[in-house]
Amino acid sequence: MERDQKKEIGEGSSLSSKEQRNLREKERRMHMKDLFFMLSSHVSPTQRLPVPRLIDHAKSYMIQLKEKIKCLKEKKSALLGEVGNNAEGSYPLPKLNYHSRDSTIQMNVVMDLNMKRVMLHELLSVFQDEGAQVMTANIHILNDRITYTIIAQVCMSDHIHALLAYFGSALIRQG
């Protein structure tokens, strides 16, 4: 009985090297099982997949994410290029303010009316592409400024960061 207690503790010197190896291997397998479970919850949360298919799905998911990042970076640089290369004159960059609480994000974009405008539907499509549910969207025009206000419900905090990364750190000022 004393020997069984030492096996449970795992630090007893009475375990043979073979038993210690077996115990470490069992812990390693349990750790791998936990890691595959976490991967499965991110890649395929609705169904449980065998490990080889899970890894294939994870690989294609990573490729899709890399392509999406590349596309968003190109879109961002194109938008910033259009703002920076304005031939009519130099307009200030749009100002982006956001507030987030729990899973709700409120974003305000203020820009000059004379600059090439970002249309509201373009902003909304970014929110929807990132998995956010837009609750309200408003446009306010006052003098030479236009303000877009969007309030959305985001299911995961990673999506909030993805939304904000799309607009670029140069335009973001956290309020």
Side-chain angles (χ1 to χ4, degrees):
M1 178 150 169
E2 187 175 314
R3 183 173 165 92
D4 290 337
Q5 288 177 342
K6 287 185 179 180
K7 282 185 181 178
E8 288 178 5
I9 295 172
E11 294 181 9
S13 60
S14 67
L15 289 176
S16 70
S17 63
K18 183 177 181 181
E19 290 173 328
Q20 289 176 353
R21 260 194 326 272
N22 288 343
L23 185 60
R24 282 194 304 268
E25 178 61 21
K26 183 178 179 180
E27 289 173 357
R28 185 194 68 80
R29 285 193 312 267
M30 292 300 290
H31 181 67
M32 291 299 292
K33 184 178 179 181
D34 290 341
L35 291 175
F36 279 121
F37 179 76
M38 286 192 319
L39 179 64
S40 177
S41 69
H42 288 290
V43 174
S44 179
T46 58
Q47 66 187 49
R48 184 168 175 145
L49 298 173
V51 172
R53 286 192 56 207
L54 176 64
I55 292 173
D56 285 341
H57 274 64
K59 180 183 165 188
S60 56
Y61 182 66
M62 293 292 291
I63 291 170
Q64 286 176 346
L65 289 177
K66 284 182 180 181
E67 289 174 359
K68 189 172 186 177
I69 287 170
K70 181 182 175 186
C71 179
L72 290 174
K73 283 182 178 179
E74 289 173 357
K75 195 171 183 179
K76 174 186 162 187
S77 64
L79 287 172
L80 289 176
E82 288 175 6
V83 171
N85 297 330
N86 194 330
E88 295 175 13
S90 177
Y91 301 114
L93 287 174
K95 290 188 170 74
L96 179 90
N97 295 316
Y98 73 92
H99 306 280
S100 63
R101 173 178 273 168
D102 299 325
S103 62
T104 303
I105 183 170
Q106 176 179 340
M107 184 179 81
N108 297 310
V109 180
V110 180
M111 57 186 3
D112 193 291
L113 269 177
N114 296 322
M115 114 180 12
K116 182 187 182 306
R117 289 192 297 208
V118 176
M119 302 305 285
L120 182 60
H121 69 86
E122 294 171 326
L123 294 173
L124 295 177
S125 70
V126 172
F127 275 84
Q128 291 168 344
D129 290 347
E130 291 301 326
Q133 181 180 359
V134 176
M135 296 165 29
T136 62
N138 296 308
I139 300 175
H140 301 283
I141 299 175
L142 183 63
N143 299 330
D144 61 343
R145 300 273 182 213
I146 185 166
T147 303
Y148 298 113
T149 302
I150 300 171
I151 300 175
Q153 189 82 26
V154 182
C155 57
M156 295 172 65
S157 64
D158 293 344
H159 292 293
I160 291 175
H161 299 298
L163 281 169
L164 298 175
Y166 170 80
F167 295 104
S169 60
L171 302 179
I172 296 177
R173 185 184 64 182
Q174 184 169 358

